[in-house]
Amino acid sequence: RWKVRLEREKRISEVLLKCRRSTVLTSFRGWIPVSKIADLHNTVDPYTDGDSRVFMHIQGEAGGETVHKRGVPPTYFRTNKYTESFQAIVDTYGVARYKEVNPGLFTIVTFPFTFGVMYGDIGHGFLVMMGALYLIWNEKKLTAMARSGNMSEILGYAFGARYALLPMGFFALYCGSIYNDMVSVPLALFESSWVFEANGTYATFTQHDLSGSNFSGSNFSESNISGSNATYTVYPYGVDPTWHHSANSLGFFNSLKMKMSVILGVTHMLLGIFLGALNHIYFGDCVSLFAEWIPRVVFMLSTFGYMCMMIIIKWTTDYGCQYGDKDHLLCPKEPPSLIQAMIAMFLRPWEEGTLYEGQREIQIMLVVTALLMIPAMLFLKPCINHNNSHSSLRRQRRGQDGSYQAVAHSDDSLDEERGPMREIDSKGSEGGPLSFRSYEELHEDNFSRHDDDDHHGDGDGDGDDGRD
């Protein structure tokens, strides 16, 4: 019970620290989502009924329209117990501006799927998913335990992320089934496409074709590969379990997972870049769209996008490679190294590639395009903004006909330091008499002022308008 009271006093102190205080008045301003205005009235109105010492004013409430007189509202996203974990992950990297696209929506799928790609294992994913289901099934009991303070720190972290652990475990199980890996043991769910053959001094795996013959070290020839017999069977689902027992299994799986991770990572980055384009279009920011976004996406596609294309081309090309003996791989057409191809693309672009026809000309064009986009990304938008600011300044000077006019303004901070019960009449002459205002008038005026250095609270960032 004392913990509840202590937490209440702590929150009251945090609110008071955000208020403006004087000898007779404590005031604060903030943003509130439109959907929460009714809840605010239900909380505050019982204390304002018949009590002139408490006053609340919501701008734009009477007219039904939002009044943005204090700049851009802060960002507020509606979440529930399922989405709050993913939104918290996004907020650790950065919070989207008001009315920008919320990347937390896409993180609900991309984050657990990326976890599954990294930790793909049937056994591991099954345990994580079952643990999350247990936490969700006993949610009420564990919630009461957490509120009473009887939950350990580690269990508290897992319970808070229970709705994120559930899809993470599912995708880990799914990717593990593709890797055919269950706690580092392959599952032979279907008949393997490879046969184990012993040849006196060594053993090798040979692959079946659809006609029932196979290619081994004794009958290997280029005619067998390029002829009609070279139609190999494919394992029905995932990775053939024989790969886990082969001598080059580590190189095979590292190559497979690395190339797949590159494609998924580049796709993820392109998704973020295209979401930025939607923000520029929504806010009408043509300068950022043409001078920043277009060079960025062109550079991305010219480099990393091209690398993904080379991976797909190499995957879909049959090089007809077979083992001539236990240590030598015989290939009528040597498969190119993608790492060496990317290095040569920038260091030796004049050399002809072996991945596809016309590779040299295309790579030279992509390298030149990528190099031209670098200064465009760095200098084009700042130069345009600099030119626009100078043009605006020149128009202002021409509008004043070369003369400068004094602008009268009042300093709200000085008025408030002199006390909220009095204020200098702005219509009087300098050094004129003071006009005293009533307490209610002063309250209304205090809540109608707007300065940009002391706002707190939330604004609605998911399409709804906020009110000050």
Side-chain angles (χ1 to χ4, degrees):
R1 194 177 185 85
W2 65 270
K3 290 183 180 180
V4 176
R5 294 184 178 180
L6 183 61
E7 182 68 23
R8 183 185 303 167
E9 292 295 330
K10 176 184 175 182
R11 295 185 180 183
I12 293 175
S13 300
E14 290 177 351
V15 173
L16 291 177
L17 289 175
K18 300 176 182 178
C19 298
R20 283 190 169 186
R21 306 180 67 181
S22 65
T23 55
V24 294
L25 178 65
T26 299
S27 64
F28 65 92
R29 299 178 179 134
W31 294 91
I32 181 172
V34 174
S35 58
K36 301 293 184 180
I37 291 180
D39 296 337
L40 180 64
H41 276 296
N42 294 334
T43 303
V44 178
D45 287 350
Y47 300 96
T48 60
D49 187 17
D51 191 349
S52 60
R53 294 176 299 176
V54 180
F55 178 78
M56 180 179 68
H57 174 67
I58 301 178
Q59 292 186 0
E61 183 179 20
E65 297 180 357
T66 301
V67 180
H68 293 168
K69 295 183 178 180
R70 302 185 60 221
V72 180
T75 304
Y76 169 75
F77 295 117
R78 290 195 187 98
T79 58
N80 51 40
K81 59 184 180 181
Y82 182 80
T83 61
E84 62 181 358
S85 299
F86 299 100
Q87 189 65 53
I89 294 173
V90 175
D91 291 343
T92 57
Y93 294 94
V95 180
R97 292 185 302 170
Y98 182 64
K99 287 188 176 297
E100 282 188 341
V101 176
N102 181 18
L105 177 64
F106 305 92
T107 308
I108 297 175
V109 176
T110 59
F111 181 80
F113 181 74
T114 305
F115 174 85
V117 172
M118 294 188 297
Y119 300 98
D121 187 280
I122 297 175
H124 178 261
F126 179 78
L127 292 177
V128 173
M129 188 171 64
M130 289 297 103
L133 287 175
Y134 173 81
L135 296 176
I136 295 174
W137 183 265
N138 299 278
E139 182 175 345
K140 293 182 179 180
K141 181 175 67 176
L142 294 174
T143 301
M145 183 186 301
R147 290 178 177 176
S148 63
N150 297 325
M151 181 177 291
S152 64
E153 185 176 5
I154 297 178
L155 181 59
Y157 288 141
F159 179 69
R162 59 194 181 278
Y163 287 101
L165 292 174
L166 181 62
M168 288 165 62
F170 170 78
F171 281 114
L173 191 152
Y174 168 73
C175 293
S177 66
I178 294 178
Y179 301 154
N180 200 354
D181 192 356
M182 181 173 181
V183 292
S184 300
V185 177
L187 299 178
L189 301 178
F190 306 97
E191 183 181 359
S192 175
S193 300
W194 296 81
V195 219
F196 184 79
E197 291 185 349
N199 190 15
T201 58
Y202 67 91
T204 183
F205 290 99
T206 58
Q207 192 174 29
H208 292 288
D209 66 0
L210 295 179
S211 62
S213 62
N214 57 70
F215 301 112
S216 63
S218 59
N219 63 0
F220 174 83
S221 66
E222 184 174 345
S223 60
N224 285 339
I225 294 177
S226 59
S228 60
N229 288 338
T231 51
Y232 308 112
T233 59
V234 178
Y235 196 70
Y237 177 78
V239 176
D240 195 307
T242 307
W243 277 109
H244 291 267
H245 305 292
S246 62
N248 61 336
S249 62
L250 183 62
F252 170 77
F253 281 103
N254 286 345
S255 176
L256 171 66
K257 295 179 180 179
M258 180 189 70
K259 292 181 176 65
M260 185 172 60
S261 299
V262 168
I263 294 177
L264 293 175
V266 173
T267 304
H268 200 172
M269 289 189 290
L270 287 174
L271 173 63
I273 293 176
F274 278 95
L275 291 181
L278 296 180
N279 291 330
H280 297 325
I281 295 173
Y282 178 81
F283 291 107
D285 191 356
C286 297
V287 174
S288 297
L289 181 63
F290 292 100
E292 183 181 65
W293 183 83
I294 290 181
R296 182 186 301 172
V297 73
V298 171
F299 177 83
M300 189 73 179
L301 294 176
S302 301
T303 53
F304 297 102
Y306 177 68
M307 181 169 58
C308 294
M309 187 191 75
M310 288 198 300
I311 292 174
I312 296 175
I313 291 177
K314 186 176 180 180
W315 272 350
T316 55
T317 301
D318 184 11
Y319 295 96
C321 299
Q322 294 293 326
Y323 280 101
D325 53 44
K326 69 172 184 177
D327 296 322
H328 297 86
L329 187 66
L330 302 179
C331 300
K333 182 180 179 182
E334 186 68 23
S337 171
L338 296 184
I339 297 178
Q340 296 296 328
M342 286 298 298
I343 295 175
M345 175 179 171
F346 289 92
L347 298 183
R348 301 183 300 276
W350 56 87
E351 294 184 357
E352 184 64 47
T354 60
L355 188 63
Y356 58 90
E357 295 182 1
Q359 182 176 350
R360 179 181 62 181
E361 290 75 13
I362 292 179
Q363 289 185 167
I364 291 176
M365 180 186 66
L366 293 177
V367 169
V368 173
T369 303
L371 293 178
L372 291 176
M373 292 302 105
I374 294 177
M377 289 187 293
L378 295 177
F379 303 111
L380 188 57
K381 182 179 177 180
C383 291
I384 294 177
N385 291 337
H386 180 75
N387 181 69
N388 291 340
S389 63
H390 275 265
S391 299
S392 177
L393 183 60
R394 286 194 295 268
R395 286 194 298 268
Q396 291 179 4
R397 290 178 177 177
R398 285 196 298 268
Q400 294 176 357
D401 295 328
S403 62
Y404 295 91
Q405 299 177 358
V407 179
H409 67 277
S410 61
D411 192 346
D412 292 344
S413 60
L414 292 178
D415 295 341
E416 292 178 2
E417 288 177 0
R418 292 167 182 167
M421 293 301 296
R422 59 179 63 185
E423 180 172 304
I424 297 179
D425 188 0
S426 59
K427 296 182 180 179
S429 59
E430 183 177 357
L434 298 177
S435 63
F436 293 87
R437 312 180 69 179
S438 67
Y439 191 81
E440 290 76 10
E441 292 175 343
L442 185 58
H443 271 48
E444 184 175 0
D445 187 53
N446 281 337
F447 280 97
S448 63
R449 290 181 186 169
H450 306 281
D451 38 13
D452 294 329
D453 59 338
D454 62 327
H455 65 278
H456 308 280
D458 290 327
D460 192 354
D462 53 358
D464 294 338
D465 290 328
R467 290 178 178 163
D468 180 13

